Amino acid sequence: MTTKGTLFKTFSVTTAAAALGAVATDPRSTWYLRLDKPPWQPPPTAFPLVWTPLYASLAYAGARALDSADGAERRGLRRALGWNLALNAAWTPLFFAAKRPRAALAEIAALNAANLLLARRAWRADRRAGLLLLPYLGWTAFATALNTAIVRRNP
């Protein structure tokens, strides 16, 4: 059973990470428009449509897992979720604001490792929470491929 208090906390921190990303994103910047992007890149309007339910799922899965865990398992989950959200929030400023696709690629590799750790911990605490994280893992893997393609096309 997920408590309202835990849901409020996970939705709050997830919303903060999402807001940081939204503020740092500028798909209309001259720099971004000039990048050579692969033909399979989604249009800019797709990203908020995808990220909104992914963030909601991440917050809900985090709350479920936290409420199912106890003691050291709960503390480990809290740390894993915190690191995950911090890494998630850091990618956008690195890529868009700093205009550093290579640094963003290294950062997203760390995010993918954090994703796997979070999913594993969530799965152990609550299998449904672990399953709810799979679309998020899939999307960040896609984002990694997209970031990689942009780095390769823009030496």
Side-chain angles (χ1 to χ4, degrees), residues 106-154:
E107 195 280 343
I108 204 169
L111 174 60
N112 287 324
N115 287 347
L116 292 173
L117 175 65
L118 177 61
R120 188 182 70 171
R121 286 184 177 275
W123 176 266
R124 283 195 313 231
D126 179 285
R127 289 195 176 186
R128 186 169 291 167
L131 290 172
L132 285 167
L133 291 172
L134 292 179
Y136 173 64
L137 273 67
W139 183 258
T140 55
F142 172 76
T144 304
L146 184 57
N147 194 156
T148 301
I150 289 171
V151 165
R152 286 184 178 155
R153 291 166 163 263
N154 299 275

Side-chain angles (χ1 to χ4, degrees), residues 5-132:
T6 307
L7 271 173
F8 177 78
K9 289 174 187 173
T10 59
F11 269 90
S12 295
V13 295
T14 303
T15 299
L20 179 61
V23 168
T25 302
D26 188 4
R28 293 185 197 105
S29 73
T30 303
W31 172 80
Y32 183 73
L33 292 172
R34 287 184 179 161
L35 286 175
D36 181 13
K37 295 176 277 304
W40 45 271
Q41 161 138 357
T45 55
F47 291 92
L49 295 173
V50 171
W51 273 110
T52 301
L54 288 177
Y55 277 127
S57 180
L58 175 59
Y60 180 68
R64 276 188 71 101
L66 285 166
D67 281 343
S68 297
D70 56 9
E73 184 180 29
R74 184 177 172 94
R75 286 188 297 278
L77 253 167
R78 192 179 301 122
R79 278 192 306 274
L81 181 59
W83 275 107
N84 189 280
L85 290 170
L87 288 167
N88 184 301
W91 183 89
T92 309
L94 269 175
F95 188 90
F96 283 99
K99 299 176 176 80
R100 306 272 319 263
R102 288 186 194 306
L105 181 58
E107 195 280 343
I108 204 169
L111 174 60
N112 287 324
N115 287 347
L116 292 173
L117 175 65
L118 177 61
R120 188 182 70 171
R121 286 184 177 275
W123 176 266
R124 283 195 313 231
D126 179 285
R127 289 195 176 186
R128 186 169 291 167
L131 290 172
L132 285 167

